Amino acid sequence: VPERAFDDLVAAMDAALLVVTAAAGGERDGCLVGFHTQASIRPPRYAVWLSTANRTWRIAQRATHLGVHLLGRGQLDLARRFGGLTADEGVDKLAGTDWSSSPEGAPVLRAAVAGFVGRVVARIEPDGGDHVAVLLEPLDAWVSAGVAPLRLGAASHIEAGHPPS
Ligand SMILES: Cc1cc2nc3c(=O)[nH]c(=O)nc-3n(C[C@H](O)[C@H](O)[C@H](O)COP(=O)(O)O)c2cc1C
């Protein structure tokens, strides 16, 4: 497939943007995620793809649960924070936000318009790819009324804190 045509196809899909958070061993972080999908109906499963370059992935390798948050259309500031900065440069991205720990230990961003805490069911490392799928069992999902998500097209100018490895 010509790369340009593939890029245009993905841009046309205009994915909603998530912030995925992880905590383990006293460390915590989160990153902006555009690669995600429901992955089973019964039982319900959701997959998020994390770049192996990201500190969030390194923590997610040890986490039992992840926080998955949908950003609203007006939340470009949070997209910039979680997508444009990396904790590898010493920034505590969660410290600047209103967050709390779920009973399972996943960081939950209160500003998110929808989200869930997911139990890690599997980590799927494809041969040769630069992202790893984390398959989640959703627990206690929430959604605000009238949600309009922030989409890729509105955030594609953000330069990722970590280019893919
Ligand atoms: C529009 C956009 C979409 C992104 N999608 C993903 C994604 O699906 N998975 C991922 O791991 N990183 C994705 N990133 C990159 C991370 O959010 C970014 O590199 C972040 O700074 C990593 O921070 P960390 O090293 O603290 O985890 C995306 C970035 C942008 C700007």
Side-chain angles (χ1 to χ4, degrees):
V1 180
E3 198 172 320
R4 177 67 202 276
F6 179 70
D7 289 349
D8 288 350
L9 167 86
V10 171
M13 289 176 174
D14 205 16
L17 292 175
L18 306 178
V19 172
V20 174
T21 57
E27 288 182 86
R28 55 175 189 263
D29 194 15
C31 69
L32 192 66
V33 164
F35 298 172
H36 57 92
T37 185
Q38 182 165 355
S40 169
I41 300 168
R42 285 201 198 99
R45 294 286 185 265
Y46 205 88
V48 297
W49 290 83
L50 297 179
S51 166
T52 54
N54 291 353
R55 177 148 178 272
T56 303
W57 160 242
R58 296 200 294 279
I59 298 172
Q61 281 179 291
R62 290 172 282 133
T64 60
H65 295 76
L66 300 183
V68 176
H69 309 83
L70 181 64
L71 294 182
R73 206 163 44 194
Q75 295 183 308
L76 198 57
D77 53 335
L78 282 174
R80 272 199 211 97
R81 180 173 194 86
F82 283 94
L85 305 176
T86 170
D88 280 336
E89 285 166 356
V91 198
D92 183 345
K93 289 189 261 179
L94 282 158
T97 69
D98 186 8
W99 71 278
S100 60
S101 186
S102 81
E104 304 82 10
V108 174
L109 297 175
R110 291 182 199 271
V113 295
F116 64 91
V117 171
R119 184 179 69 82
V120 176
V121 174
R123 298 175 184 84
I124 304 155
E125 305 196 29
D127 216 8
D130 50 21
H131 283 63
V132 171
V134 184
L135 190 64
L136 299 167
E137 172 192 8
L139 314 173
D140 62 355
W142 75 92
V143 59
S144 326
V147 165
L150 178 68
R151 295 192 174 274
L152 186 62
S156 52
H157 62 281
I158 300 172
E159 203 177 319
H162 255 302
S165 50

